[in-house]
Amino acid sequence: MSLDQHQKEFIKLLKANCGQYRPHQVFSDFCAMAAIGLNLPVDHGPYFEEREKRFFSIRERYSDNEFIRFDTMSKCIVESLTADFKDSLGGIFMELELGNHWRGQFFTPYDVALMMAKIGYPDHKEILDIHGFVTMNDPCSGAGALVIAMAQHLLESGINYQQHLHVIAQDIDETAAHMTYIQLSLLYIPATVVHGNSLNPGKAYPYWQTFAHIHGEWDKRMYRAKADDTMLALLRATSSAASPPVKDIAPAEQTFEMLRKRRNQSLRKYQDDRQPGLF
């Protein structure tokens, strides 16, 4: 796997911080602090105090110079993601062969992830016409490669993923969830990242919401989309049950289409006024 100069610099700094701890522990600590550092300023939800305490508990284990290296490592990831779409942290993870310490994890190569995004969402424009955005659910996100590839695919198709993509990403491994959250946050991808077992959906797991999710008020947008789906089902049921047909009554699809256009016009204006553009 070919790494860029920023990823290589990250690895040098990580190894310099391996005085007391093994590389996999230093990497895990970096991911935890970086994820918490990105989350605390924007999310004062139920996990705020717990995450704040954890950040400082990890910080206390490292010297001032080591902590400065962690900060520089964060900048390396920012610069790596700015240079091009890629799974920066996943590439570093695999290069350091850290998967051996996490039950032999292997992350999907980014080129493969991009191909899967293009195959899985060939009709994204049709999906956009329904709600004004597409959704993606990754139940085993790793470092977020599939999500990043989806963002690239949409952007190359002329669609601003920062405004028209929403993601639910989940991983059973905490460090993987942190990696996903870091990269999706830096790329301004609206997402909720869950640390938990996707095969046990009935259990409540801790979650991380990106700044793009919070700033774009995506909880409200998702609620509206669900309400639209319910309305369409109701209109169709009412329309098909009318016997005999009532003259001059618009079909359910026509009514829904009118409501959808009005809502999308409002959302486009709202998004243009509110959300920043990275590209």
Side-chain angles (χ1 to χ4, degrees), residues 118-146:
K118 293 179 178 180
I119 293 174
Y121 278 83
D123 58 345
H124 50 266
K125 291 185 179 179
E126 294 181 14
I127 300 173
L128 278 170
D129 284 340
I130 299 175
H131 295 306
F133 61 89
V134 296
T135 59
M136 178 180 181
N137 192 326
D138 188 348
C140 187
S141 64
L146 288 174

Side-chain angles (χ1 to χ4, degrees), residues 81-85 151 155 160-162 186-188 276-279:
L81 290 172
T82 301
D84 193 13
F85 280 99
L155 194 64
N160 188 339
Y161 68 84
Q162 297 177 342
L186 294 176
L187 289 169
Y188 200 83
L278 185 61
F279 299 95

Side-chain angles (χ1 to χ4, degrees), residues 230-242:
T230 303
M231 180 184 295
L232 177 59
L234 179 61
L235 288 170
R236 282 176 172 165
T238 304
S239 176
S240 62

Side-chain angles (χ1 to χ4, degrees), residues 26-38:
V26 177
F27 183 83
S28 178
D29 287 342
F30 163 80
C31 290
M33 284 198 295
I36 294 171
L38 287 166

Side-chain angles (χ1 to χ4, degrees), residues 1-8 11 80 84-95 109-111:
M1 181 178 295
S2 177
L3 302 184
D4 63 33
Q5 61 178 347
H6 308 297
Q7 291 170 297
K8 292 176 182 177
I11 291 175
S80 179
D84 193 13
F85 280 99
K86 63 172 70 69
D87 180 6
S88 295
L89 284 171
I92 292 169
F93 183 94
M94 296 305 297
E95 180 68 19
Y110 188 73
D111 289 343

Side-chain angles (χ1 to χ4, degrees), residues 219-244:
D219 285 337
K220 292 181 180 179
R221 291 191 67 179
M222 299 296 287
Y223 179 82
R224 289 193 206 104
K226 185 175 181 180
D228 285 347
D229 288 340
T230 303
M231 180 184 295
L232 177 59
L234 179 61
L235 288 170
R236 282 176 172 165
T238 304
S239 176
S240 62
S243 180

Side-chain angles (χ1 to χ4, degrees), residues 221-277:
R221 291 191 67 179
M222 299 296 287
Y223 179 82
R224 289 193 206 104
K226 185 175 181 180
D228 285 347
D229 288 340
T230 303
M231 180 184 295
L232 177 59
L234 179 61
L235 288 170
R236 282 176 172 165
T238 304
S239 176
S240 62
S243 180
V246 180
K247 186 178 181 181
D248 297 330
I249 293 295
E253 289 81 0
Q254 182 178 335
T255 304
F256 179 75
E257 178 69 14
M258 177 185 66
L259 293 171
R260 183 189 63 78
K261 286 182 178 179
R262 289 182 179 178
R263 185 209 62 227
N264 284 348
Q265 288 173 356
S266 175
L267 283 176
R268 276 194 294 271
K269 182 179 185 305
Y270 173 81
Q271 292 296 320
D272 291 342
D273 291 343
R274 185 174 179 85
Q275 293 203 32

